[in-house]
Amino acid sequence: MTDTSSTVYVLNGPNLNLLGLREPDIYGSDTLDDIAGMLEDRAREHGLTIDMRQTNHEGMLVDWLHEAMAESARAVLLNAGAYTHTSIALLDAIRSITVPVIEVHLSDPKTREAFRHLSYVGMAAAKTVEGHGAKSYLIALDAVASREV
C-alpha cells in the first residue's frame, strides 16, 4: 500500500475516556483530550493529520480499523486497552487490513499482572510502543512520520 494519505487514525479502547481520573499512578494525569492536543501539535510538525477516537466497544474498534483501510489512512495508532489481551477479533482485523498498526500503551504491560503479558494486538501490529505514559503516542507518531512502519 502506498501511504499517500496524511491521516493517522488514533484509536482508543475501553476506559481510556477516564484517563486523568483512572489510576493516575499507572496511567498518568493526562486526559485523552490532553493527549489529542499533543498529537495534533506533533502531527502538524510532520505534515500529518490526526483522527482521534475512543470507544468502549470492541466491534467499533474493528469497524474503525476497516475504515482506516477504506480511507487509505497512513497508519493507525491503537491503544486497545484491555482488549489488547482478549480480542482475537482485533487480531484478525489488524491482519485483514493493509494499513500499518502501531500498538500503543501508556504503561508497560509486561511489568504488570500476568494476564496483561499476552497481546493479541501485538501479534499483528507492525510495532509496539509502551511504558512512556502519554509520550508513547508521540513516539508512535514519530515512527509513522519517519516511515519506520
Side-chain angles (χ1 to χ4, degrees):
M1 171 181 196
T2 58
D3 55 10
T4 56
S5 174
S6 64
T7 302
V8 177
Y9 279 52
V10 182
L11 306 181
N12 296 279
N15 300 308
L16 290 166
N17 55 305
L18 298 178
L19 283 181
L21 301 173
R22 176 183 175 229
E23 300 176 278
D25 54 316
I26 296 173
Y27 301 110
S29 59
D30 290 310
T31 66
L32 207 53
D33 285 342
D34 295 334
I35 293 169
M38 290 187 291
L39 281 170
E40 288 167 4
D41 290 345
R42 183 69 60 90
R44 272 192 296 279
E45 293 172 18
H46 291 307
L48 299 171
T49 304
I50 296 299
D51 186 337
M52 181 99 162
R53 304 175 185 189
Q54 188 277 328
T55 183
N56 292 318
H57 304 281
E58 181 181 29
M60 186 60 70
L61 289 170
V62 171
D63 289 344
W64 288 341
L65 286 164
H66 295 173
E67 179 186 321
M69 184 174 75
E71 295 297 321
S72 300
R74 172 85 166 264
V76 174
L77 310 186
L78 174 60
N79 184 342
Y83 292 137
T84 298
H85 319 292
T86 63
S87 181
I88 295 169
L90 287 177
L91 168 67
D92 288 346
I94 296 166
R95 286 183 173 164
S96 297
I97 66 174
T98 55
V99 174
V101 174
I102 300 179
E103 176 185 27
V104 176
H105 296 286
L106 297 161
S107 67
D108 182 350
K110 294 184 297 300
T111 65
R112 298 187 56 202
E113 303 93 338
F115 69 85
R116 295 186 195 274
H117 297 182
L118 172 66
S119 173
Y120 287 108
V121 169
M123 290 177 188
K127 181 179 182 74
T128 298
V129 179
E130 58 196 4
H132 301 280
K135 290 181 182 172
S136 293
Y137 288 87
L138 296 175
I139 293 166
L141 184 61
D142 289 344
V144 171
S146 66
R147 302 186 185 278
E148 289 178 33
V149 293

